[in-house]
Amino acid sequence: MTLIKSISGIRGTIGGKPGENLTPQDIVKFTTAYCQWLRAQNPAGRLKVVIGRDARISGQMVSDIVEGTVLGCGIDVINLGLATTPGVEMAVISKGAHGGIIITASHNPRQWNALKLLNGDGEFLDAEDGRRILELAGQTDTEYPDIDRVGRVLDRTPYDDEHVRAVLALPLVDVEAVRARGFKVVVDAVNSVGGIAIPKLLEAMGVETVGIYTTPDGDFPHNPEPLPENLRELSETVVREGADFGIAVDPDVDRLALVCEDGTMFGEEYTLVAVADYVLSKTPGNTVSNLSSTRALREVTRARGGSYAASAVGEVNVVGRMKETDAVIGGEGNGGIIYPALHYGRDALVGVALFLTQLAERGLKVSELRATYPDYHISKNKIELTPSIDVDRVLAKVKEAYAGNEINDIDGVKIDFPTEWVHLRKSNTEPIIRIYSESRDAESADRLAGEVIAKIREIAGI
């Protein structure tokens, strides 16, 4: 069992001993620390926090503890109940809240849950703020407000309808064009909150929906990460139903994966590529993705006359780089679309709406659309080192060995070759180096990874 305390929040398995797992005591401790940080940011007046959760089995229990703790810290609560991560982010902004707590372990299995923490802009905390909350959580002299200063619950209204209306109001979303095409789509929402939000959006756009695993009871029917090996039933259903494509989202609906009409995978890396291509065709500008995302986005961006920039891995880093470069769209290669015209957060709903509009406008099948983009393949590997090995030294030596190539070291070491790249990142908790490589075909990507792994072993003497 595991408890992971990081600058982006607290994540762990339910049950077990405090300090080693995500127990009620840990939930209270970290929620209290967040409330203390929030009060330090806003020393005067009453504060309010938005709370929302995905549908996993432990969600109601965790939400009740979080809500009670926030109220006990003298802060008012807007509790959305079952809610998507992007919905909570948007609600912080639209309801004028000072922060938000999202109760979700994203793509982790059913035994996990987590507290994801937002600032007053509805965005994840940066490293400095995250570290401060971890410091506060370690203090033992917490003092709570008296009875006259406890918080109040201001509202318990779900946010999905507001979220859908905001997406449909975007200038680049053409509901009538989508409705005229009469699309049929299969949805796998892994029995979480996407089973509420995605069908609402599709119905509003006139799309016929076939739902598999859309009951938000948290009983995940398969590994909830939207990877090809977990989407076989979705693929089979798309073909059997004669659907135009399939949609898969993770439990908190910030990642979007697509399946073509013939049952093949569109590729989660290409969700962002396709949506960005459409956005850039209407609003030329810049794009951002993290260092481990496909090169295809850079090529599509340059073809549309824009500039591409890479960020360190992590949504908060992508958002920061997007703001620096005034990017019109960005995201991560795991199917995360960030469209600033709506908000600065990964959002599967806006991804679906923009993708449908593009499909309606171009009149292509999904497999035909996929064929219009540069074809790259990513290989994901890792190498375990002994605890005695200095991982930072190994990465520095790898950087020296490939110094003749284009190198980016803002997050590990990324080496760009003319037609391929490899990205090495060390784990913050284990003596592991994660190795992502991309090339024109799977065999070449694996070969490149193998070459770099051999170089690491040579440097480390293993």
Side-chain angles (χ1 to χ4, degrees), residues 46 55 128 248 296 355 408 418:
R46 293 192 70 89
E128 181 180 347
F355 185 81
N408 187 319

Side-chain angles (χ1 to χ4, degrees), residues 225-233 235 257 259 265-268:
E225 189 166 12
L227 299 176
E229 58 266 29
N230 302 324
L231 303 180
R232 294 189 181 95
E233 189 169 353
S235 175
V259 174
M265 298 295 138
F266 193 79
E268 63 173 355

Side-chain angles (χ1 to χ4, degrees), residues 197-422:
I198 298 295
K200 277 182 180 286
L201 174 69
L202 294 174
E203 180 182 3
M205 299 186 77
V207 176
E208 180 184 350
T209 304
V210 177
I212 60 172
Y213 308 130
T214 54
T215 303
D217 59 12
D219 186 12
F220 301 154
H222 55 74
N223 185 310
E225 189 166 12
L227 299 176
E229 58 266 29
N230 302 324
L231 303 180
R232 294 189 181 95
E233 189 169 353
L234 175 60
S235 175
E236 293 168 357
T237 306
V238 167
V239 174
R240 185 173 65 251
E241 291 285 338
D244 292 285
F245 63 99
I247 290 172
V249 293
D250 62 341
D252 66 327
V253 201
D254 60 0
R255 291 173 60 177
L256 171 64
L258 304 169
V259 174
C260 300
E261 79 290 343
D262 58 3
T264 60
M265 298 295 138
F266 193 79
E268 63 173 355
E269 289 283 338
Y270 282 83
T271 303
L272 174 58
V273 174
V275 174
D277 183 41
Y278 170 67
V279 169
L280 293 170
S281 73
K282 304 295 183 181
T283 52
N286 303 326
T287 66
V288 172
S289 65
N290 69 43
L291 286 169
S292 288
S293 300
T294 181
R295 183 180 284 185
L297 179 63
R298 184 179 74 178
E299 295 188 16
V300 165
T301 303
R302 290 177 176 176
R304 293 289 186 183
S307 295
Y308 166 81
S311 78
V313 174
E315 181 174 318
V316 65
N317 298 315
V318 176
V319 167
R321 195 80 171 104
M322 289 179 69
K323 291 179 178 179
E324 290 173 4
T325 60
D326 197 26
V328 296
I329 190 166
E332 297 187 288
N334 59 10
I337 305 292
I338 301 174
Y339 187 47
L342 185 65
H343 69 116
Y344 275 107
R346 293 180 301 171
D347 191 327
L349 272 74
V350 76
V352 168
L354 293 170
F355 185 81
L356 278 165
T357 303
Q358 178 187 31
L359 209 59
E361 182 179 282
R362 298 193 63 177
L364 299 174
K365 293 180 179 180
V366 174
S367 62
E368 293 171 341
L369 177 63
R370 173 63 178 81
T372 66
Y373 299 121
D375 196 23
Y376 286 104
H377 297 263
I378 289 182
S379 176
K380 299 181 180 181
N381 302 272
K382 66 181 179 181
I383 181 170
E384 297 186 17
L385 307 175
T386 62
S388 62
I389 293 176
D390 184 342
V391 177
D392 289 324
R393 173 189 165 277
V394 170
L395 290 178
K397 290 293 185 181
V398 170
K399 182 179 173 182
E400 289 178 11
Y402 292 94
N405 300 280
E406 181 182 344
I407 292 178
N408 187 319
D409 60 2
I410 62 171
D411 183 10
V413 176
K414 182 174 183 179
I415 307 161
D416 263 301
F417 303 97
T419 60
E420 54 193 9
W421 56 259
V422 63

